Amino acid sequence: MDLKSKIRVIENFPKEGISFKDITTLIKDKDAFKKAVDLVVEDLKEKEVDYIVGPEARGFLFGAAVAYALEVGFIPVRKPGKLPGKTSSHEYELEYGTNTLEIHTDAIEKGKKVAIVDDLLATGGTMLSAAKLIESLGGEVVAMEFLIELESLGGRDKLGKYYINSLVQYEK
């Protein structure tokens, strides 16, 4: 199945010059969604993952499905003020601004293996921020998994020390 054909591209959203990759068309197709999740699960099977971390919000969609299939825990990383317990935070740059992620300080035990699952690798800022949060808690990031990679934005280079898998690639 060609997953790329299931992704709608919307030009100039959310602002001029951005080519937005809309995954709602993929996740509404039960076969395409299942295929995407299955491909990530297959890639992670031998990595002995203890937890899947999913960044808000689309990382929740794929991350929770992957965690369920692998029979491991799911840990959300969220925007500020969304988690009720004590949190650690990290600010990062987006391709069109800045943001901050938070994680519960008791979310990951020291030495646990973690895979980060999200819909999109662009500049790598979100993933680097999530990785720093995980590592600050003593977790080991063993993989980063993406539905889409925007190759021209250089996220893979920024995350060079981590194992990266992306299912669909776009130049921009």
Side-chain angles (χ1 to χ4, degrees), residues 19-39:
S19 178
F20 188 80
K21 309 310 184 260
D22 180 14
I23 66 164
T24 62
T25 50
L26 182 141
I27 62 176
K28 80 174 189 176
D29 180 320
K30 66 180 173 63
D31 295 325
F33 186 43
K34 183 178 184 326
K35 179 68 173 177
V37 170
D38 288 348
L39 287 169

Side-chain angles (χ1 to χ4, degrees), residues 25 35 39 76 105 116 125 130 136 147 163 169:
T25 50
K35 179 68 173 177
L39 287 169
T105 56
I116 306 171
S136 76
L147 173 62
Y163 171 83
Q169 296 78 36

Side-chain angles (χ1 to χ4, degrees), residues 21-155:
K21 309 310 184 260
D22 180 14
I23 66 164
T24 62
T25 50
L26 182 141
I27 62 176
K28 80 174 189 176
D29 180 320
K30 66 180 173 63
D31 295 325
F33 186 43
K34 183 178 184 326
K35 179 68 173 177
V37 170
D38 288 348
L39 287 169
V40 172
V41 167
E42 185 62 33
D43 193 58
L44 291 175
K45 270 187 185 174
E46 305 302 317
K47 293 183 175 51
E48 300 178 12
V49 172
D50 296 301
Y51 297 113
I52 298 296
V53 164
E56 188 168 340
R58 291 178 300 271
F60 293 1
L61 300 171
F62 283 97
V66 169
Y68 175 80
L70 287 173
E71 299 181 17
V72 300
F74 175 78
I75 299 168
V77 287
R78 303 210 58 192
K79 295 175 183 164
K82 303 279 185 159
L83 294 171
K86 185 177 177 187
T87 62
S88 292
S89 64
H90 190 269
E91 185 175 271
Y92 63 98
E93 291 187 21
L94 296 164
E95 59 272 26
Y96 48 86
T98 63
N99 211 337
T100 302
L101 288 180
E102 292 185 341
I103 192 170
H104 279 130
T105 56
D106 61 355
I108 299 169
E109 301 84 15
K110 186 175 182 173
K112 293 295 183 176
K113 293 181 178 182
V114 179
I116 306 171
V117 177
D118 205 359
D119 70 319
L120 180 72
L121 173 57
T123 64
T126 303
M127 286 304 105
L128 188 57
S129 181
K132 287 182 178 185
L133 286 171
I134 292 162
E135 292 166 348
S136 76
L137 299 177
E140 176 190 354
V141 177
V142 297
M144 295 180 175
E145 300 277 341
F146 305 94
L147 173 62
I148 300 167
E149 180 177 357
L150 304 179
E151 295 174 318
S152 66
L153 295 180

